[in-house]
Structures are given as C-alpha cells and as structure tokens.
Amino acid sequence: MSSELPYAADAESPLKPAELQVLQSQYEKEGEWVSLQTKFNYAWGLIKSNARPDQQKGVQLLSDIFRDSPERRRECLYYLALGNYKLGNYAEARRYNDRLLDHEPANLQAGSLKGLIDDKVAREGMIGVAIVSGLAIAAGVVGGMLFRGASRQR
C-alpha cells in the first residue's frame, strides 16, 4: 500500500478467515431478527474481504441498512464507497465518498479513498484511450491494405 494514503488501509487489509467466520456465525445465529449492528459488522467484514462475492454481499447488506435506517446512513457511506471501489464500480464509489466528504470534509479515510478512486479512474481512463487508439491504428492499417488491394485489381 502506498505510504501517501495511510488512512484507507481498509482497502487492502482483509479480516482473517476465522474473524470473518465469527461475524458470519453471529449474523446467521440471529437469523430473521438480526440486529442492525450485527448486520453492519458482517457487511464490514465482507467488504474487507478479497473475495468478490463477499464484497458484493457486503455492499448489498450495507445498501439495505442505508436504505432502511436513515440514522445509520453516515456510517454506511465510507464502507459503501470502499466496497464499490473494490468491486471496480468507481462512479458509485465516488458518489458515496463525495457524499461523506460533503458532511465531513476533514475525514481522513474518505480523503485518502478519494485519492485511490481518482488514481484508479485516471489509470483505467488511460488504458481505455490506449485501447481505442490501438484499434483505430489497426483499422487504418487494414483499411489501407484493402484500399491498396482494390487499387491493384483495377
């Protein structure tokens, strides 16, 4: 992890499998009557995971909390941003993170996550430009070859 962004450590530090298992067991034990805190804790653990299905489930659980419990929205914002970042949903990650920064401009975690999101978007944007440029060059070469071939047949 970059030393420039020490506060977004959650982006790269998953729980140990045994720790996640404790959260999952509590969540499953509470069943239909799962408490908001247990659901949040389990979602947090899932988002920290390196496994995409876990991250997706964590984002879904947090989205449910965000939608159903207005009093808990602020604390969901960072982890919804983080989860979407880890899933590659950068527009959603930015939306949640910016919303948190609107309320807490000095939030160091959100500030460093903003840097991670911006870096990833810039990097992927440059890759996209390179791919499109490569395709345009290839199309030009093929078009030139076809044009020359058609000219020779006349």
Side-chain angles (χ1 to χ4, degrees), residues 3-22:
S3 61
E4 297 172 24
L5 302 169
Y7 297 103
D10 288 327
E12 296 162 0
S13 59
L15 295 179
K16 293 179 177 95
E19 294 170 325
L20 184 56
Q21 183 58 48
V22 168

Side-chain angles (χ1 to χ4, degrees), residues 15-31 34 38-39 41-46 54 57 61:
L15 295 179
K16 293 179 177 95
E19 294 170 325
L20 184 56
Q21 183 58 48
V22 168
L23 296 174
Q24 182 179 359
S25 294
Q26 181 64 35
Y27 177 80
E28 290 171 353
K29 182 176 127 190
E30 292 183 21
V34 66
T38 297
K39 189 174 187 178
N41 292 347
Y42 183 43
W44 166 81
L46 290 168
D54 287 349
K57 185 173 182 178
L61 290 172

Side-chain angles (χ1 to χ4, degrees), residues 124-140:
E124 289 197 1
M126 292 182 72
I127 290 169
V129 167
I131 290 170
V132 169
S133 297
L135 290 174
I137 290 169

